[in-house]
Amino acid sequence: MRRARSAAGAFIVAALTLLAVQLPAGSAHAAGPRIDLKVLVVTDGGTPVSAIENQLTVEGVPHTTVDLNDPNRPKITAAFLQDSVNGSPRAKYQGVVLPNANPFVDQAEMTALAAFERSFGIRQVDAYVYPSPSVGLNSPGFAGTLDGTTANLTTSGLSGPFRYLKGPVRFEDNSPSVGESYGYLASPLPDDPARGASYVPFLTATADGQTGSMGGVYTHDGGRSELVLTYAYNSGQRQFRLVGHGIISWLTKGLHLGYARSYFSVHVDDVFLPDERWSSDDNCTPGEDCAPGVTTTPIRMTPEDVTAAVNWQTQHNFKFDMYFNGAGSVEAIERNGSDPLTTSLVNNRGRFRWANHTYEHPYLGCRQDVTVVPWRCQTDATGNTLWVSKTTIKDQIARNRTWAAGKGISSPTGELVTGEHSGLKILPQQPVDNPNLASALNETGVRWIGSDASRDKNQRAVGNALTVPRYPMSNYFNVGTRSEMVDEYNWIYTSRANGGSGICEDNPATVTCIQPLDTATGYDAHIIPVDSRITESHILANDPRPHYVHQSNLAEDRILYPMLENILGEYRTAFAANAPLVNDPMADLGAELRRQSAWRAAMNNVTAYVQDGKVTVVPPSGVAVPLTAPQGTRDTSGLLGWLLGEPFGDQYAGERSGYKTTNTTLTLP
């Protein structure tokens, strides 16, 4: 009963005030205006405003959306925007996003919004506007396609909300035959001190000999500030993802709920095993879909490949996660009497992170009938699916751990990737998990199990474990050379008339047919740029899901390296040193994915506000709250907080950010 009363008391305390962030306070006075930490998004359904709304979502910034196309939408009135709480005026929103500078048919709505912004000092983003004096710009000096243009952030931008970037903002140009970006360049009007009007460019570019602003802050109308963007974009385009976080930081004055990082980890599967090689003659892979009798030489790393991996990691400040199968080493030693690859990997074991990929890489779902293509699940006489047993699953996990321990390889017991992500559901043959999998994971202490993000992107529970969806990269497991990679790629993505499988013709909604690539140049000229863009889109979307490849991609032509060098090069060319890639192991990435999911489900039901320099947040019980705050913010909670305060959260992208759990009171000057 004492425990019950204590728990109830703690719940009541937590429900009253869970987080407090305090800025320097002034002299004692009546409570000042309260500003809720939520953004108002007014949308017309266009891609620019939708992109900003998506950025708010992926960063975990609470927001309310009003759709101008909805006849039942609320009107933007003073009562909608503000009220009073305990006698103090309250702004219900800390920032406003509009599709353009004035999207309202009823000008009374714009009048109410302008008055609200002046009264509380609320900032406004105009997602896409035509340059004109109404936004502090002259008529455009250039109007047209911006594909391939490199815009540049000004000193004001780089010292302000875009301090996490180096300066260049390259616009995509993915197809010479399709216009992908359209916009306007314009010069600012002269400042008008009498009117309090000024325009400060943040982003400029040159096109057809004309230089002008395509993004800047227009201050006018009694101090109202608008971030004006004069080019079109969508949420998937690189030119938006680069500046998206800065738009949010500017809008919220650097203080908002939410947490963002650039995550990139690469899992290398099948380490110690050989991988079957693609047959260019038969367009198949032995052991997978080849007819009996078709053979190829398997692909397996060598000691020289290990040395190359160690050196590459050092040169590029990046660490691989090696997902290993101990049986590959045992079989090589039994066959040859020794295994130089094992010796090299064991000698370099401290250079990599290691994780369990099962001992022999068997299929751990249903028992497979491989006499047909595609394979199917075996059934008993009454039609019930036959499953791999719990004993077999546990044995594969335990034997690999024992083997690794004998080699001095340290791998976390809580992490596992099964061969082919088997045991987990795989459509269409196996629509449910192996019912023996959950208990096997529970009994072996597995808490994080890798899944295939291309099939099952959302994190979900499997017993006591959670899945960590992994993105496959376009470096196939069954290729060791560039030409093999291109040959298989052509088979998948070209029409039957062009010698391909026709998969693209049969699935036009999800696969686009291409012209056959040159096997000598196609990997570098086409596959690397395409897959790099896909991977970078994950990195720039605050997405902690890791990526995976196979040991074969570190062997022979070592085709993974030019792909990674392109991805790392693009990122590090654009981003400043204060926003490094987060290269974490699977358990950390899974935990972040879990935190993100819990917060996004709760964030729009949170009470959070700033008043008199103090931010108060009352989150749902049990939910970790993410907060981003300006540099210099310190955690001064506790009895001696004002004396011994520590920097709040972690430093990233020129800000401080971190998660705080419930029943914690903070004062952060």
Side-chain angles (χ1 to χ4, degrees), residues 463-498:
N464 296 332
L466 289 175
T467 61
V468 181
R470 309 187 306 162
Y471 290 115
M473 297 184 72
S474 284
N475 292 274
Y476 302 150
F477 82 95
N478 54 355
V479 299
T481 67
R482 283 173 164 83
S483 60
E484 289 170 347
M485 178 68 209
V486 175
D487 185 83
E488 185 173 1
Y489 195 89
N490 281 340
W491 175 250
I492 296 170
Y493 290 105
T494 61
S495 65
R496 293 178 180 87
N498 282 324

Side-chain angles (χ1 to χ4, degrees), residues 48 98-101 126-130 182-184 229-233:
L98 300 181
N100 53 61
D126 303 334
Y128 180 38
V129 300
Y130 181 85
Y182 191 92
Y184 307 96
L229 300 171
T230 63
Y231 62 97
Y233 48 88

Side-chain angles (χ1 to χ4, degrees), residues 384-406:
N384 295 314
T385 301
L386 298 176
W387 299 100
V388 172
S389 70
K390 179 174 70 174
T391 299
T392 297
I393 299 172
K394 291 175 62 178
D395 180 66
Q396 284 293 317
I397 296 169
R399 289 177 71 190
N400 213 36
R401 290 174 179 171
T402 300
W403 178 87

